[in-house]
Structure formats: structure tokens, C-alpha cells
Amino acid sequence: MPDVKLEIQMLHDRVMVRISPEDGERRSSGGIVIPATAQMAKRLAWGDVHGVGTNVRHVKVGDRVLFNPEDQYEFEVQGATYLVLRERDVHAVASERSDHGTGLYL
């Protein structure tokens, strides 16, 4: 298949998210490297929205969302891994919206 850019339209209240690359290996405040495989308390992740369904009201393409990555469906498109979640599974939205103050909605 040639290198063609696919346009994916999500359905209903679904959101297509790509996990941010910095959510892998982390550093503690003391400088210790914590690998992505380290088991910790349930950790939420930030991701970038790449598609939204027709019934999604509070999230748009380009927003960063906070969600639990362990309870979602994962799929791959042209070598990139994405997650599908419902809008109600989004805990917060960080965007460049200037009409509501800070841009972080919890």
C-alpha cells in the first residue's frame, strides 16, 4: 500500500488518542530514572486527540486529554499506535482555548 494519509472519522462518543511519547521513562525529583515498566499505583496518562466522533461535545482534535490507558482499546494505523476511548472516560482536557481562562478542565 502506498504511503497514503488516511482520514479516520470516529463514531458516536468515541475519541481517538495517541499517547504522548514522554509518558514512557520518567525521572524522580532526585534524578533517578524510573523505567516505563516499573509497577506503580494506577497512573493516568496524557495523550493527543487525533479524532473525535459526532457526539463528542467537550473534546476536539488537537486537545491533550488525561485518561486511564489500561482500560482502553489499542489499534495501529500505518505504524502508529492509537487508543479508542469514550468521551466519558476522559478525566481532563488541556487545550489552547482562550475563552475559559487556564485551558485545563478537570
Side-chain angles (χ1 to χ4, degrees):
M1 183 168 145
D3 191 21
V4 177
K5 181 144 174 113
L6 294 176
E7 182 175 326
I8 298 174
Q9 174 63 50
M10 302 305 290
L11 301 176
H12 309 294
D13 65 341
R14 302 305 195 272
V15 179
M16 183 172 89
V17 175
R18 185 162 187 198
I19 294 182
S20 302
E22 67 265 9
D23 284 340
E25 193 173 86
R26 302 180 309 275
R27 284 193 183 271
S28 71
S29 59
I32 298 171
V33 175
I34 303 169
T37 57
Q39 186 66 21
M40 295 179 66
K42 208 173 224 187
R43 185 170 179 88
L44 299 177
W46 286 100
D48 299 316
V49 176
H50 287 265
V52 295
T54 54
N55 295 339
V56 174
R57 297 180 292 156
H58 301 289
V59 179
K60 65 179 184 173
V61 174
D63 286 348
R64 288 182 51 81
V65 293
L66 183 66
F67 63 97
N68 181 1
E70 295 179 15
D71 295 334
Q72 309 312 323
Y73 294 106
E74 184 176 300
F75 68 99
E76 189 173 311
V77 175
Q78 296 180 339
T81 302
Y82 298 92
L83 298 175
V84 174
L85 55 140
R86 291 177 179 260
E87 184 181 23
R88 70 178 180 213
D89 296 331
V90 173
H91 298 288
V93 178
S95 68
E96 296 297 324
R97 298 177 188 171
S98 60
D99 58 341
H100 287 63
T102 63
L104 183 61
Y105 307 98
L106 296 175

